[in-house]
Amino acid sequence: MVYVNARFLTQPITGVQRYALEISRQLVELMPSIKFVAPQNILHQETARALGVEVIGSRTGHAWEQIDLPALLKTRNSPLLINLANTAPLLYWNKVSTLHDIAFEKFPENFSWQFRTAYRLAIPRMMKTSLKVLTVSEFSKSEICTAYQLRPEKVSVVPNAVSSAFRETPASASERYILAVSSISRQKNFHGLVEAFGLLRQDTHKLYIAGAMNKIFADSDLARKIESNPRIRLLGRVSDDELANLYGGADAFVFPSFYEGFGIPPLEAQACGCPVIVSDAASLPEVCGDSALYCSPYDVNDIAEKIGLLISTPELARTLREKGRANAGRYNWRTSAMRLLEAIGKLQCQPQASTA
């Protein structure tokens, strides 16, 4: 019997939770005997019903994960536990754990000291006590193996993919624009993008920014730059359907991030037929291959130059659209879930050895 830690159903959806949700939807079809367990404070009830989630324990949050969950499993002969959302019960050894990246080490300023401290204590233990570690790219695998001194064969790559909500549909926009999407944090390099957009000598396109706005207004320097440029529009949080329409209507999608374990937004844009510009850093060259136009995230002039080139060269835009569609098609959740099952299948056929 295989169990899945479904605590992610109690959390708001970000990239990590979306990964867990999509993989779980595939797992329940590929392995009907799989069991999902979660605490009582589930936010996504419809998904929980579809997965047949069993609610267990009296606690919530980390206490549920560290106390209630392993206690239940031990009463059921300690089955294999799959953890998909960066955390896991530390003292339970028969487990597979997922770590998307180590951004909390590379960009600690983006996280509260409580979060950094908790992860710096928990993640090494989670890596040590897991039979197998899953991550989303070869880049992240290399980073994780180096940071925690893991053998490469202990880490399997199970990549992200694109939700079915993101697909090409007829789109009409009242004005021409460049799109940027993400949470607003230093590693995403919105400062560089806003500065680069200000350097462009053009009056044909606006810059639309979709995502949570709270951190923009907490950063007085970024807020001032945005407010001083009437060609920048802040859209706030948008639904998947709204985002798909924004991708479809944009002349370019720009993602100049310093650090990504994978980077789903460029694939979403490509699936919607939008040409993309991404940074030449971290996992993005691996994920995008030759389907994107690359810029240096450290050079605002280069970012501006690549934006100007794409919006002024129709043939380049057509080429990137075609290559982007093909690239987005390389990833799908069913294939990723099958990779996960292959990894745990090999694990179950092998005698348990050192977890280092």
Side-chain angles (χ1 to χ4, degrees), residues 234-296:
L234 300 179
L235 306 178
R237 289 187 180 275
V238 296
S239 69
D240 282 354
D241 288 341
E242 290 168 330
L243 182 54
N245 287 331
L246 286 167
Y247 283 135
D251 285 342
F253 173 73
V254 189
F255 197 70
S257 180
F258 291 115
Y259 185 89
E260 295 292 328
F262 185 87
I264 294 180
L267 287 188
E268 292 175 343
Q270 290 178 329
C272 294
C274 180
V276 305
I277 300 169
V278 299
S279 68
D280 57 3
S283 64
L284 292 169
E286 173 190 341
V287 172
C288 294
D290 69 350
S291 68
L293 188 61
Y294 288 94
C295 65
S296 168

Side-chain angles (χ1 to χ4, degrees), residues 8-285:
F8 59 84
L9 292 171
T10 69
Q11 301 164 337
I13 295 178
T14 66
V16 169
Q17 288 75 29
R18 184 180 294 280
Y19 176 90
L21 286 165
E22 296 287 358
I23 292 288
S24 294
R25 289 182 177 126
Q26 298 299 323
L27 288 178
V28 79
E29 294 182 6
L30 291 168
M31 182 185 278
S33 64
I34 200 166
K35 302 292 185 184
F36 294 82
V37 289
Q40 58 192 318
N41 58 327
I42 292 172
L43 296 179
H44 313 291
Q45 292 288 346
E46 185 176 344
T47 301
R49 286 191 291 272
L51 298 177
V53 169
E54 178 185 358
V55 174
I56 61 135
S58 58
R59 298 172 178 86
T60 58
H62 290 294
W64 176 88
E65 191 168 62
Q66 301 305 323
I67 301 172
D68 292 6
L69 176 57
L72 168 86
L73 296 173
K74 287 173 184 176
T75 69
R76 300 184 181 181
N77 298 319
S78 299
L80 181 66
L81 176 69
I82 299 173
N83 302 276
L84 295 168
N86 285 347
T87 60
L90 300 179
L91 299 180
Y92 188 79
W93 287 72
N94 192 17
K95 67 176 181 279
V96 171
S97 301
T98 305
L99 183 62
H100 286 246
D101 56 50
I102 55 171
F104 63 94
E105 294 284 9
K106 299 294 184 176
F107 286 84
E109 65 274 15
N110 291 337
F111 303 89
S112 69
W113 70 266
Q114 296 98 326
F115 184 98
R116 294 196 307 268
T117 301
Y119 264 48
R120 284 171 175 169
L121 290 172
I123 296 301
R125 177 75 179 180
M126 185 176 85
M127 298 292 95
K128 180 177 176 59
T129 58
S130 296
L131 299 174
K132 174 72 75 173
V133 174
L134 308 177
T135 193
V136 291
S137 65
E138 292 293 340
F139 169 79
S140 280
K141 175 177 177 175
S142 177
E143 294 251 298
I144 290 166
C145 287
T146 300
Y148 303 110
Q149 299 181 329
L150 301 182
R151 295 173 287 107
E153 58 267 27
K154 183 174 179 176
V155 184
S156 293
V157 175
V158 177
N160 280 290
V162 179
S163 165
S164 59
F166 298 100
R167 59 191 181 279
E168 245 179 300
T169 57
S172 60
S174 59
E175 58 187 0
R176 302 183 73 182
Y177 62 89
I178 299 153
L179 181 64
V181 174
S182 192
S183 59
I184 310 298
S185 63
R186 283 282 177 180
Q187 81 186 57
K188 304 300 183 182
N189 197 23
F190 273 87
H191 289 76
L193 174 58
V194 168
E195 187 174 348
F197 185 74
L199 295 175
L200 285 173
R201 296 181 177 179
Q202 59 84 35
D203 58 6
T204 57
H205 289 73
K206 289 187 176 179
L207 173 62
Y208 287 9
I209 300 177
M213 297 293 104
N214 56 316
K215 289 189 178 180
I216 284 183
F217 298 110
D219 186 324
S220 58
D221 181 53
L222 181 59
R224 178 183 53 78
K225 288 179 179 179
I226 290 173
E227 289 169 353
S228 66
N229 191 331
R231 301 196 66 77
I232 298 178
R233 284 189 56 189
L234 300 179
L235 306 178
R237 289 187 180 275
V238 296
S239 69
D240 282 354
D241 288 341
E242 290 168 330
L243 182 54
N245 287 331
L246 286 167
Y247 283 135
D251 285 342
F253 173 73
V254 189
F255 197 70
S257 180
F258 291 115
Y259 185 89
E260 295 292 328
F262 185 87
I264 294 180
L267 287 188
E268 292 175 343
Q270 290 178 329
C272 294
C274 180
V276 305
I277 300 169
V278 299
S279 68
D280 57 3
S283 64
L284 292 169

